[in-house]
Amino acid sequence: MQGVWDLIRLIFPYAIVFTIPLLITSLGGLFSERSGVVNIGLDGFMVFGSFVSAYTIKLLMPVLPNGDLAVWIGLLAATVAGAVFSLLHSFACVTLNANQVISGTAINMIAYAVTVYIARTITGSGNITIVHGIARTDIPVLSQIPVLGDLFFKSTYATTWVVLLILVVFAFILYRTAFGLRLRACGEHPHAADAAGINVYRTRYIAVAISGAFSALGGAAILVTYSGEFNGNVAGLGFLALAALIFGKWKPLGILGATFFFGFAATIANVSQVIPFFTNLVDKSPFWAPLTLKAFPYVVTLIALVFFSKTTQAPRASGLPYDKGQR
Amino acid sequence: MTPKVDPAGRTRRWTIPKKYVNSLFAVLLGLIAGAFFMLAIGRNPFVGYFYLFKGGVMNLKYIGQTLATSTPLILTGLSVAFAFRTGLFNIGAAGQMLMGGLTAIGLALTFEHMLPRGILLAVIVLGSIVAGGLWALIAGVLKARFNVNEVVATIMLNWIAFWTVKYGVYAFFRDPQQETQSKAIDAVASLKAPWLTSLFPGSYINLGLFLSLIALVIIALVLDKTTLGYELKAVGFNRSAAEYAGIKVNRGVILSMTIAGMLAGLAGATYWTGYSSNMQIDTSSLPSQGLDGIAVALLGTNSPVGVLFAAVFFGMLQSGKGFMTAVTGIPPEIADTIIATVIYFAAAAVLIERVLDAWRKRRASKALAATKKGGEE
């Protein structure tokens, strides 16, 4: 029993660190899809954010007296750049009524190609390494709480708290403000929303910008916490965030649970090589044990989709271009 | 070359179908974007493009290399295009290709010293086709039986395939010397043929090229000359109308997805047991041919012939980039950038159409005005 507790205490902080970028990216996807624009470009936005933050931090680090400041400016720059980059997606999907899946695919491809192209020009290798990320800190009083303190408040990254704050604020915006109501209306029944005087195009532009900003922040969070290097991809985490969005039924609390669930599984898979409890398991079945852990999020998402199929959970108008003329 | 427009606006000396015009404009805009990116890092785009294309065709080695790079693109492009014709978006070509490749490598390593070459190659090729087909069948069944969006399903299946290959190769086929890749297959199990390699010495060209062309012909025949193709296209045009006409829509969806998966699975065999001779597992991204296949299908307007041209064009960019980088120092990702931009503009075809329409209208009205002024007939 003591062994299991130690294990959980050991894995938990890693799981949280892994979860946070997924969570913020998933939240971004949620805003886009709830407004009616499917965004499978989340992965590309993450890569883009990772690139922008890496480059910004690399530029600022020697100039600024304080390394932490450079990191925070890097995160901010990624967020803003993500919002700007997302205009490419919203222009195609909202203004031109293009196929949203194709546009999202193009976004991914552009992000993978262009970021490495620029990085290679700058550093020669296509990778950008930052020497300084965010330091882990214990939260003063709270980390002393037995059990919970160990799990949630010891050696945490500040980004974790920022992202959780964003989640709370944006969940509030989505459900408790006029803007949130309008946004959801655009995703469920854009013609009715339009009839009620809501500017569907503008709302969707804003929603897609939010998704671009958040996913770029997610990519940047990976960089400043556990990766430390931009290398042209985020190991498909954007698609994992997409799975979490679906598994979490397009709801903020749902994606919080889903991302943590997925993050925990992935973390166990990642550390299974070093923790004795799992190495035994992996030695016994080198194929099925790690595969089960890694493929698990995608499999449960597929299963969930089968169950959802009776009662559609997805925003009704997501994926459909809005054509005023069809009202 | 200005086409004449008579007062009734009828006569044109030549016309290109609108969809091809859009593709050509998407390519043009993609190339312009590529030029912009070359300029942005202070390089001369004309020099860049010269070496990019020269690197694709300058001698037999590079021509062979272009064809070898095009081979899996023809198949993944065909896969995406075929599904598109039935109204399905197969974003899972990468995963199907991985499963086909894993099966091909597995069969090759298991049977390479047991079977004669002809049978061995047949087993490998058929195995990859079956594996890719079965992998896509899952998405087809989910779509037909449970109405699960095939885009989401195939994305999930891509990553399940990714991890299956990663741990499958590691657990069963890894190279004892280098744990990040599978053992290399023997020459007897490879789709590379000595006579073909000697035609294009130094390239990775392999029999997969002929397999892809055969697949292309078969798909073209199925689409245009069979009842099945007619039914699948009918489902793509209008699902409800097809159903009303007595076509079994669900069966069509499953079948179309499976055939698409078979094509992508074959791409896996041509790539890992033809172009390459082992599977690398130290990667953290899906094989690029999956997404490139979408670009190929879009640019080729989902027709087999279009797919062939688009695949060879992209294959040329991909195989020429190494030479261009070596000579000019422009990063090789320029090729991917161009492909990515082309697919964006293909998606935004409406923009091109609008501009062209506006241009045509203005020209037509000008011509009309000119004839009125001139003749008063």
Side-chain angles (χ1 to χ4, degrees):
Chain A
M1 198 57 221
Q2 187 60 36
V4 175
W5 167 237
D6 283 343
L7 194 65
I8 292 176
R9 209 168 48 179
L10 194 68
I11 293 176
F12 223 80
Y14 289 99
I16 291 178
V17 169
F18 190 80
T19 299
I20 289 301
L22 282 180
L23 175 62
I24 189 70
T25 305
S26 213
L27 185 68
L30 181 137
F31 268 81
S32 174
E33 300 222 347
R34 289 301 286 264
S35 83
V37 180
V38 164
N39 192 348
I40 66 164
L42 293 178
D43 203 60
F45 287 121
M46 285 181 96
V47 171
F48 189 68
S50 164
F51 166 74
V52 171
S53 58
Y55 186 42
T56 312
I57 293 169
K58 198 181 162 69
L59 277 184
L60 291 181
M61 201 61 91
V63 188
L64 292 177
N66 182 343
D68 280 347
L69 187 63
V71 170
W72 285 106
I73 294 177
L75 287 170
L76 190 68
T79 312
V80 173
V84 173
F85 185 43
S86 78
L87 289 175
L88 213 55
H89 189 51
S90 32
F91 178 66
C93 296
V94 182
T95 305
L96 297 178
N97 286 353
N99 182 321
Q100 301 177 358
V101 175
I102 297 176
S103 171
T105 306
I107 290 288
N108 282 334
M109 295 174 78
I110 291 174
Y112 304 152
V114 172
T115 53
V116 181
Y117 178 82
I118 302 172
R120 217 182 276 282
T121 314
I122 298 164
T123 66
S125 76
N127 295 11
I128 302 176
T129 314
I130 58 167
V131 286
H132 183 98
I134 287 189
R136 284 168 175 263
T137 47
D138 292 352
I139 302 295
V141 179
L142 295 173
S143 61
Q144 302 307 315
I145 304 172
V147 187
L148 289 182
D150 277 342
L151 292 183
F152 292 103
F153 301 111
K154 279 216 170 123
S155 69
T156 61
Y157 288 111
T159 43
T160 302
W161 304 109
V162 172
V163 166
L164 288 175
L165 183 71
I166 293 176
L167 177 75
V168 172
V169 170
F170 276 78
F172 180 84
I173 290 177
L174 189 64
Y175 288 113
R176 293 280 181 271
T177 65
F179 171 74
L181 180 68
R182 285 175 192 154
L183 190 144
R184 285 181 288 136
C186 291
E188 295 292 335
H189 204 314
H191 293 105
D194 193 5
I198 299 167
N199 186 337
V200 177
Y201 300 114
R202 195 179 62 193
T203 310
R204 288 188 170 179
Y205 260 94
I206 295 172
V208 174
I210 292 173
S211 83
F214 284 2
S215 358
L217 178 60
I222 293 175
L223 178 91
V224 300
T225 55
Y226 64 87
S227 100
E229 182 189 63
F230 163 81
N231 61 3
N233 71 66
V234 290
L237 287 185
F239 296 105
L240 191 58
L242 192 68
L245 173 62
I246 297 162
F247 192 67
K249 294 188 177 182
W250 293 269
K251 293 190 174 71
L253 266 185
I255 60 170
L256 177 65
T259 47
F260 187 71
F261 197 38
F262 293 175
F264 208 83
T267 308
I268 293 177
N270 288 340
V271 300
S272 58
Q273 259 90 25
V274 279
I275 293 180
F277 177 81
F278 292 109
T279 38
N280 289 335
L281 206 66
V282 172
D283 283 343
K284 261 187 222 134
S285 129
F287 178 59
W288 288 108
L291 175 64
T292 311
L293 288 167
K294 283 288 193 180
F296 155 85
Y298 309 105
V299 176
V300 293
T301 302
L302 282 179
I303 294 171
L305 278 168
V306 170
F307 283 109
F308 293 174
S309 64
K310 297 228 165 56
T311 57
T312 313
Q313 303 281 343
R316 221 158 271 133
S318 76
L320 304 173
Y322 175 60
D323 185 352
K324 247 185 175 172
Q326 284 178 352
R327 199 157 91 193
Chain B
M1 286 295 274
T2 33
K4 283 177 193 158
V5 182
D6 71 357
R10 260 181 304 130
T11 328
R12 287 236 188 97
R13 239 185 302 157
W14 45 264
T15 46
I16 307 173
K18 209 172 186 179
K19 51 182 192 174
Y20 294 121
V21 175
N22 288 342
S23 289
L24 292 174
F25 267 95
V27 169
L28 187 68
L29 289 171
L31 292 176
I32 291 172
F36 168 78
F37 276 105
M38 291 181 198
L39 272 177
I41 61 166
R43 299 292 151 78
N44 183 340
F46 292 103
V47 176
Y49 276 123
F50 175 74
Y51 286 109
L52 183 60
F53 289 114
K54 190 179 175 191
V57 293
M58 66 179 164
N59 59 29
L60 282 177
K61 177 188 166 188
Y62 285 92
I63 291 173
Q65 203 54 19
T66 293
L67 294 174
T69 316
S70 309
T71 302
L73 291 181
I74 294 174
L75 288 164
T76 54
L78 210 51
S79 166
V80 178
F82 189 78
F84 258 134
R85 295 294 281 269
T86 317
L88 296 168
F89 199 146
N90 179 22
I91 212 163
Q96 293 140 19
M97 182 178 163
L98 278 171
M99 294 312 275
L102 179 65
T103 310
I105 282 279
L107 289 170
L109 289 173
T110 311
F111 294 113
E112 60 189 1
H113 302 306
M114 292 183 219
L115 299 173
R117 180 166 160 86
I119 298 173
L120 179 63
L121 290 188
V123 167
I124 291 170
V125 165
L126 289 178
S128 70
I129 292 175
V130 170
L134 286 177
W135 200 245
L137 175 72
I138 301 173
V141 170
L142 287 175
K143 170 88 180 179
R145 299 268 302 142
F146 302 104
N147 200 26
V148 172
N149 185 334
E150 79 281 5
V151 172
V152 176
T154 48
I155 288 176
M156 301 299 132
L157 286 167
N158 272 347
W159 289 94
I160 299 173
F162 175 82
W163 293 110
T164 306
V165 166
K166 200 150 192 158
Y167 292 117
V169 168
Y170 184 80
F172 306 121
F173 307 116
R174 72 168 178 266
D175 185 348
Q177 263 81 49
Q178 198 160 0
E179 298 207 331
T180 56
Q181 62 186 41
S182 76
K183 282 177 277 194
I185 58 168
D186 200 88
V188 71
S190 171
L191 286 170
K192 283 195 198 83
W195 64 270
L196 191 57
T197 310
S198 65
L199 279 181
F200 301 94
S203 78
Y204 294 111
I205 194 165
N206 58 76
L207 298 173
L209 178 64
F210 301 106
L211 293 174
S212 69
L213 294 176
I214 293 169
L216 195 90
V217 173
I218 293 175
I219 292 299
L221 290 176
V222 166
L223 277 175
D224 289 339
K225 303 278 181 230
T226 64
T227 320
L228 174 70
Y230 180 82
E231 290 186 354
L232 292 182
K233 283 188 289 184
V235 173
F237 278 126
N238 189 332
R239 218 181 140 124
S240 314
E243 193 152 21
Y244 190 67
I247 294 170
K248 292 193 180 70
V249 170
N250 282 343
R251 195 192 66 140
V253 165
I254 295 175
L255 212 57
S256 170
M257 210 60 212
T258 308
I259 292 172
M262 289 160 78
L263 292 163
L266 177 58
T270 68
Y271 187 68
W272 282 293
T273 58
Y275 187 100
S276 170
S277 55
N278 60 16
M279 264 182 130
Q280 303 281 337
I281 52 168
D282 57 348
T283 159
S284 49
S285 50
L286 294 167
S288 63
Q289 286 86 355
L291 286 184
D292 286 352
I294 298 173
V296 167
L298 275 178
L299 190 62
T301 63
N302 299 325
S303 76
V305 178
V307 163
L308 179 63
F309 280 108
V312 172
F313 174 63
F314 286 158
M316 190 158 71
L317 293 182
Q318 292 287 16
S319 80
K321 67 186 181 184
F323 182 67
M324 175 209 66
T325 303
V327 178
T328 64
I330 297 170
E333 280 74 23
I334 193 71
D336 307 277
T337 306
I338 294 167
I339 296 176
T341 332
V342 168
I343 184 177
Y344 181 79
F345 284 117
V350 189
L351 179 69
I352 300 171
E353 259 167 41
R354 276 187 199 164
V355 173
L356 281 181
D357 276 351
W359 181 65
R360 280 200 200 102
K361 265 183 206 152
R362 209 171 53 203
R363 214 183 45 182
S365 62
K366 252 188 204 163
L368 203 63
T371 41
K372 269 185 187 161
K373 213 197 252 170
E376 291 295 347
E377 300 151 282

